[in-house]
Structures are given as structure tokens and as C-alpha cells.
Amino acid sequence: MHDDLSITLTTLAATTPTSIQSTTNPFITYIASLQSANSQRTMEKQLHRLATMMGFADAHVVPWSQLRVEHTQALWAKLASSKSAATANLMLSALRGVLKMAWRMGLMSGEDYTRAVDLKTVKGNTPDAAAGRSLTAAELRALFAACAADLSPVGRRDAAILALAYAAGGLRRAEIVNLDLADFNSETAMLTIRGKGNKVRTAYVRGGARDALDEWLAVRGDETGPLFWRLQAGGVAGQMYERLSDQSIYMLCQRRGKEANVRHFSPHDIRRTFISDQLDAGTDVLTVARLAGHSNANTTSRYDRRGERAKQVAADALHVPFISNTQ
């Protein structure tokens, strides 16, 4: 990043008051406007990181409505030179979101807003979805073995969660915690999923996933409410049948991964595994996109982690009718 751009950000931080009224703070309003707790955590983290890059203590004290094109271009240059393309573009998305909120709140003019968010996508060789990893079949078996070794209701619940996370369309963790008992039709084995943007899709729970879910339901009972809820010590449900949080799913993965001696993975890595395994099994990309809740099949294709092996198989599939004229 050029020295004059660094000075631009440093000057902004040095001339800004140390506090901003919460009622006129687009950062607070923007985070509150996001629908899922996971999105709120993600974007809040990115905005705090941007604040630090600009020389502020945190995102609460950044005068977001005062950012102009010279500031955002300086941020773009710093991100492009110091972050991966995926990380840089996620942070830029958060920046655009908070500036749009500043404009909607009447704190920025339309012209200032339009110029400030006119930022190019940071290019890179690594697609956004490539972060993380896929789990092997052996790792999946080890995770379910760890759940089976837990004879309490928690073991059955966790096994059912992992089974749906993998087999029922690669569920996002917010989608898992939002499931209600009424979303599963036991006769048809159809699961109704409420995804991003309140989009609804369906998946079918078959095979081992159905077995895992049935074992959990035998413990859970037919009480209306969340499909999965918090369990107290000993596996007893609380009085209010409290819904799990997004973070609970993350912690579940960490706990069972440690028990199974499986190296670090996130809930989203299970989603990656579902998509990659479906593509590897020959399911067409449009069907996988519908199952995963992707509105664009290009997004799905970026999760394909088959790598060079898939290229070799594709090369072997073609027949070149070459005729040699050498003797």
C-alpha cells in the first residue's frame, strides 16, 4: 500500500471522536439487520478487523458515514496486498454493507455512497469456497463411532445432527438449529429446510441418516418445537426445550472431532464434504446445487475438491481415434 494511502487512513483515525451515538451508528444498525446469528458474528468480526486496519480501537468508534472514496480505495489497496482474495472480498462485502446502511439512515449522500463502494473485486487464484477442507470417509466413520460411544441422549442427538449436516443437503449450521420437528415428514422421509434469505428447499433423509434421526426421535419424543434442543447433564431436556445456537453446532464438531482424533474441521467442512462427495458420485451439478441451496451452480462447482484425480478420469473418458502411420 502506498504511503499516501496509509496517511489517509491514519489521518481519519486521528481526527475522529472516540465515541459515536449508538442511535446514529450504522455499524450497530447493520449488524442488527442481518438475519442469522452466524452472519452477525462473521460481519462484526470483519468490520472490527477493518477498524483496526484504519487505526481505530474497534468498529464501534469508526465514523463509517464519513468514509469517502479515498478511504475505501486505501482499504482496498491494503486488503489486496495483505489478504487472500477470499478474505479481502469478505471484508469488502462487510464494508459495503455498513456503508449502505449509513446511506439508508441518511448519514451519507447517495453520491458519496456510490463512489465509496465502487470497489473492484480482489482477484486471486483461490476460489472463496476453497478455504477449509473435506472430510474422508474414515473420518466420518470415526465421528459417528465417537457419538455411538456416548450412551447418553447427547450421543444420539449429536449423531443425528452430524448425519443431517452431511446427508440432508449439506446443511448450514443455522439451517440445522432452525429445524423444527414439524419440518420432518416421517412417512415420506422429506425434510423441509429454511435456508438463506428465507428460501425453502427439501431433502430426503435416507439410509444411515434416517437411522440416526430415528434413534434421536425415540429419545426426543413428539413434543412440538425444535428438532434439536439443548440437553442438561445426564441428557435431560430443559423445561423450555431450548433451541441450540449456531455456536453449539461448531462446538459439537470440535468436541466430537477431538474424541474421534479427527483433525480440526468446521461445520461448513461437512457441507463441503457433501457437495464434493455428491459430485464425485456422478450427481450432476444442478441437482447438487438444488440440494445444497445454491441459487447459482457456479457456487457449487467451486466446492468441487476432487482435484487432479477428477481431471485424470475425465481425460481417460475421451477416445481419440488416432491412427499411426509409422511402420
Side-chain angles (χ1 to χ4, degrees):
M1 183 175 175
H2 300 300
D3 290 341
D4 56 340
L5 296 180
S6 298
I7 292 172
T8 296
L9 295 177
T10 302
T11 301
L12 176 67
T15 57
T16 299
T18 57
S19 64
I20 299 174
Q21 291 291 328
S22 61
T23 54
T24 58
N25 193 333
F27 163 70
I28 295 175
T29 308
Y30 169 62
I31 297 301
S33 73
L34 299 175
Q35 293 184 338
S36 75
N38 187 46
S39 296
Q40 290 177 346
R41 281 194 300 270
T42 298
M43 290 313 194
E44 182 173 359
K45 178 181 177 181
Q46 305 316 315
L47 291 172
H48 282 313
R49 294 175 71 183
L50 286 170
T52 301
M53 291 178 67
M54 291 187 286
F56 293 92
D58 58 47
H60 290 278
V61 297
V62 176
W64 298 104
S65 61
Q66 296 178 30
L67 295 188
R68 298 294 181 263
V69 61
E70 60 268 25
H71 305 127
T72 57
Q73 288 293 340
L75 278 173
W76 184 95
K78 194 167 185 178
L79 289 170
S81 64
S82 63
K83 305 293 182 183
S84 69
T87 298
N89 288 319
L90 178 60
M91 295 175 74
L92 289 173
S93 177
L95 177 63
R96 292 187 183 96
V98 74
L99 293 185
K100 184 174 183 179
M101 183 57 70
W103 166 72
R104 292 175 63 187
M105 294 172 68
L107 302 175
M108 290 182 76
S109 70
E111 183 176 352
D112 286 337
Y113 161 69
T114 301
R115 290 179 176 178
V117 299
D118 186 19
L119 303 167
K120 297 182 294 184
T121 299
V122 176
K123 301 295 184 181
N125 293 326
T126 304
D128 293 359
R133 71 183 188 92
S134 291
L135 280 72
T136 66
E139 288 177 322
L140 288 174
R141 286 194 298 270
L143 288 172
F144 285 108
C147 293
D150 181 350
L151 301 181
S152 75
V154 178
R156 296 189 184 186
R157 183 200 65 185
D158 291 357
I161 288 174
L162 291 172
L164 293 191
Y166 173 65
L171 298 185
R172 304 175 178 95
R173 51 179 167 172
E175 294 171 344
I176 295 171
V177 300
N178 286 333
L179 288 171
D180 289 331
L181 179 64
D183 293 325
F184 179 63
N185 185 319
S186 61
E187 293 185 3
T188 63
M190 187 173 72
L191 187 69
T192 300
I193 305 156
R194 295 177 295 281
K196 283 185 175 181
N198 292 322
K199 294 180 180 178
V200 177
R201 69 183 190 277
T202 57
Y204 290 90
V205 185
R206 303 277 178 83
R210 176 64 188 267
D211 294 338
L213 183 56
D214 283 346
E215 287 202 8
W216 161 242
L217 292 177
V219 174
R220 181 199 179 282
D222 57 3
E223 183 77 24
T224 59
L227 181 59
F228 300 108
W229 52 44
R230 293 184 185 278
L231 295 173
Q232 298 176 345
V236 179
Q239 283 187 332
M240 300 305 293
Y241 300 101
E242 183 181 2
R243 190 181 298 273
L244 294 170
S245 68
D246 292 5
Q247 189 65 12
S248 298
I249 305 301
Y250 179 83
M251 296 306 297
L252 181 160
C253 290
Q254 303 318 298
R255 183 175 66 258
R256 296 305 182 186
K258 185 176 181 179
E259 293 171 355
N261 198 28
V262 171
R263 68 184 177 91
H264 177 83
F265 69 97
S266 70
H268 206 79
D269 289 333
I270 300 178
R271 178 171 170 80
R272 289 186 178 91
T273 306
F274 162 79
I275 294 172
S276 184
D277 286 356
Q278 284 286 355
L279 293 172
D280 202 20
T283 307
D284 68 273
V285 69
L286 290 177
T287 298
V288 178
R290 287 194 292 269
L291 288 169
H294 286 153
S295 57
N296 190 326
N298 289 332
T299 303
T300 309
S301 64
R302 292 203 298 269
Y303 283 78
D304 189 353
R305 303 180 67 83
R306 292 171 291 175
E308 296 304 315
R309 182 171 59 84
K311 295 179 184 179
Q312 294 169 3
V313 172
D316 291 338
L318 295 179
H319 171 67
V320 178
F322 171 72
I323 300 174
S324 175
N325 61 6
T326 61
Q327 302 298 323

